[in-house]
Amino acid sequence: MKILHLIDTAGPGGAETVFLNLVCRMKRAGHECLAVLPREDWLSDRLQEEGVEYLVLPSKGSLRFDLVWALRRLIKDRKIDLVHAHLLGSATYAGLATLFTDVPVVATFHGPTDLKDARRFIRLRRAILVRGLDKIVAVSDGTADALRDYGIPGDKIQVIGNGIDTDYFVPSPQDMLRREWGLDAQAAIVGSVGNIRPAKDYGTLLRAAAIVVQHRPDVVFAVAGQGTERQFADLISLQKELGLESTVRFLGQRTAGPDLYGNFDLFVSSSHSEGLPLSFLEAMACGRPLVATSTAGAIEVLERGEFGSLVPVKDHEALARAIIAGLESGEAEKQLLAQRGRRHIVERYSLKKMVGAYDALYQGLLAARSTAIQ
């Protein structure tokens, strides 16, 4: 197949990582892959490293008809067999660009927040998604529910969970951060991974941290993720207000691999909205016990608390209690939870399984189009 892959963003993040992994695996499987990005950034660097061809077509603005025509020309000139778009903007442009063509289009939505700003021109957007796309993939059941609430027919939606490379994400205990910060071996590190943005609700995590350190002064919180100067400034202001300057450490953008997760005694998420967070899958594959707020994605991955602790969203007191309980549980209990969590991820959320599901979807759509043409 010749596949055109589109995405709204290009910086580091969960959707971008899924996009990168899918494009690279499809290329390795023998398909011709061309990526279209809105700008040069983290994602373009990674694609270049992997030898994947990409083009930059700016998409900033309301409705860029010049982008629609550019995509139509690209699809025709490169004889594209199938288009796969990620996130709302790219899904809209892909749907418009392929109208009245025989090229099937798939769009992936990575969480309910993909639709939060999509209420303007809702009827037009919905019509484009329903008529212009052959299949809309939701990464979780919660995301599928959000799509249905938006007005997308259920038979247009297919759930394909995110996947990670479980041969790469393996248990690998580390003491890099302890040595870097001069911590005692007995000190506990509670880690969180995710870009600094409103949905991650790091304010709730900081308020929980203020309670935890009253009970356990030896606990340090590590937050890894990219954010704007304003977003960091707001968190640092709250950090100072709560007296957490030495307790909460902002790591900035870090590679989220076993070398990072292996430093954490506990992984925590304070989000108020999640689709199917890669950080959960990665942490569990690395044998880290989890505490998370009860977003739709967290409930789905942790199977309502079977593979980790769940607490109400925006409840910093409940989050603090769960963190303390997780840190003070027995070693045998931690090991059992870690083993069960990793096995769950290997069985349900492997990259191989995700790529196989998308490949089957592609083949099915192409076969259906071929039959319709005949």
Side-chain angles (χ1 to χ4, degrees):
M1 286 181 280
K2 293 181 179 179
I3 310 168
L4 179 64
H5 302 264
L6 314 176
I7 191 166
D8 291 8
T9 58
E16 296 85 353
T17 299
V18 171
F19 178 93
L20 175 66
N21 287 336
L22 185 59
V23 172
C24 292
R25 289 300 175 107
M26 287 296 171
K27 181 176 181 289
R28 292 177 196 174
H31 304 303
E32 291 185 36
C33 295
L34 172 63
V36 170
L37 311 178
R39 64 181 186 277
E40 300 275 356
D41 204 320
W42 175 88
L43 189 49
S44 59
D45 292 343
R46 302 290 85 75
L47 289 170
Q48 193 169 17
E49 290 171 0
E50 294 290 338
V52 176
E53 183 184 2
Y54 72 90
L55 298 174
V56 173
L57 296 178
S59 58
K60 192 173 182 180
S62 297
L63 185 54
R64 300 279 301 268
F65 283 104
D66 60 329
L67 178 56
V68 174
W69 303 130
L71 290 173
R72 285 184 71 89
R73 286 196 302 271
L74 191 61
I75 291 167
K76 181 180 179 180
D77 293 346
R78 300 294 289 265
K79 295 181 172 56
I80 297 297
D81 296 310
L82 180 139
V83 177
H84 188 167
H86 293 252
L87 307 174
L88 178 64
S90 293
T92 303
Y93 284 117
L96 287 171
T98 55
L99 280 177
F100 311 115
T101 74
D102 60 357
V103 177
V105 186
V106 176
T108 297
F109 284 76
H110 291 263
T113 56
D114 288 3
L115 297 164
K116 69 180 179 65
D117 296 324
R119 295 294 160 182
R120 190 181 179 195
F121 306 121
I122 183 171
R123 290 184 179 178
L124 176 60
R125 290 178 186 271
R126 188 168 53 210
I128 294 170
L129 295 180
V130 172
R131 297 192 63 182
L133 306 180
D134 292 84
K135 189 65 70 172
I136 300 177
V137 173
V139 300
S140 64
D141 291 336
T143 306
D145 290 341
L147 286 165
R148 280 188 284 267
D149 290 343
Y150 192 71
I152 305 300
D155 61 358
K156 182 77 73 170
I157 302 168
Q158 179 173 335
V159 176
I160 298 178
N162 289 337
I164 63 166
D165 185 347
T166 52
D167 291 328
Y168 172 70
F169 290 99
V170 296
S172 178
Q174 302 286 328
D175 65 352
M176 172 187 67
L177 293 181
R178 283 182 176 81
R179 287 187 285 105
E180 183 179 324
W181 296 335
L183 302 178
D184 293 336
Q186 293 74 27
I189 298 179
V190 176
S192 188
V193 174
N195 287 333
I196 311 298
R197 54 190 181 87
K200 298 300 182 182
D201 194 13
Y202 282 119
T204 290
L205 178 60
L206 265 61
R207 292 182 177 90
I211 296 173
V212 171
V213 294
Q214 292 177 10
H215 183 80
R216 286 280 304 268
D218 63 333
V219 177
V220 175
F221 287 76
V223 178
Q226 187 181 65
T228 65
E229 287 186 16
R230 176 58 185 275
Q231 291 166 333
F232 271 115
D234 290 344
L235 283 179
I236 290 171
S237 177
L238 180 59
Q239 177 195 40
K240 291 179 179 177
E241 178 187 328
L242 296 171
L244 298 173
E245 291 92 330
S246 61
T247 299
V248 176
R249 315 286 179 93
F250 295 106
L251 307 181
Q253 180 58 37
R254 294 278 185 111
T255 299
D259 289 347
L260 178 63
Y261 289 110
N263 291 275
F264 303 155
D265 297 283
L266 188 70
F267 183 86
V268 63
S269 169
S270 54
S271 298
H272 63 67
S273 179
E274 289 284 4
L276 194 78
L278 290 186
S279 60
F280 284 36
L281 311 183
E282 293 165 355
M284 292 172 71
C286 290
R288 301 300 91 191
L290 259 71
V291 171
T293 44
S294 296
T295 61
I299 292 170
E300 187 168 332
V301 174
L302 299 179
E303 296 199 352
R304 300 190 177 277
E306 184 177 349
F307 296 100
S309 298
L310 291 168
V311 301
V313 170
K314 292 186 175 295
D315 189 337
H316 65 276
E317 293 180 347
L319 185 60
R321 289 193 296 270
I323 291 171
I324 293 169
L327 291 173
E328 297 188 345
S329 60
E331 194 59 35
E333 183 180 351
K334 290 179 183 177
Q335 288 295 324
L336 180 60
L337 186 61
Q339 292 168 4
R340 292 180 63 246
R342 174 168 171 77
R343 185 163 58 247
H344 175 56
I345 299 304
V346 170
E347 292 174 355
R348 290 282 304 276
Y349 298 105
S350 72
L351 184 56
K352 181 179 180 180
K353 184 173 183 178
M354 181 192 82
V355 173
Y358 275 112
D359 191 59
L361 173 59
Y362 294 170
Q363 301 287 358
L365 291 176
L366 285 170
R369 281 294 176 102
S370 177
T371 300
I373 292 171
Q374 293 173 1

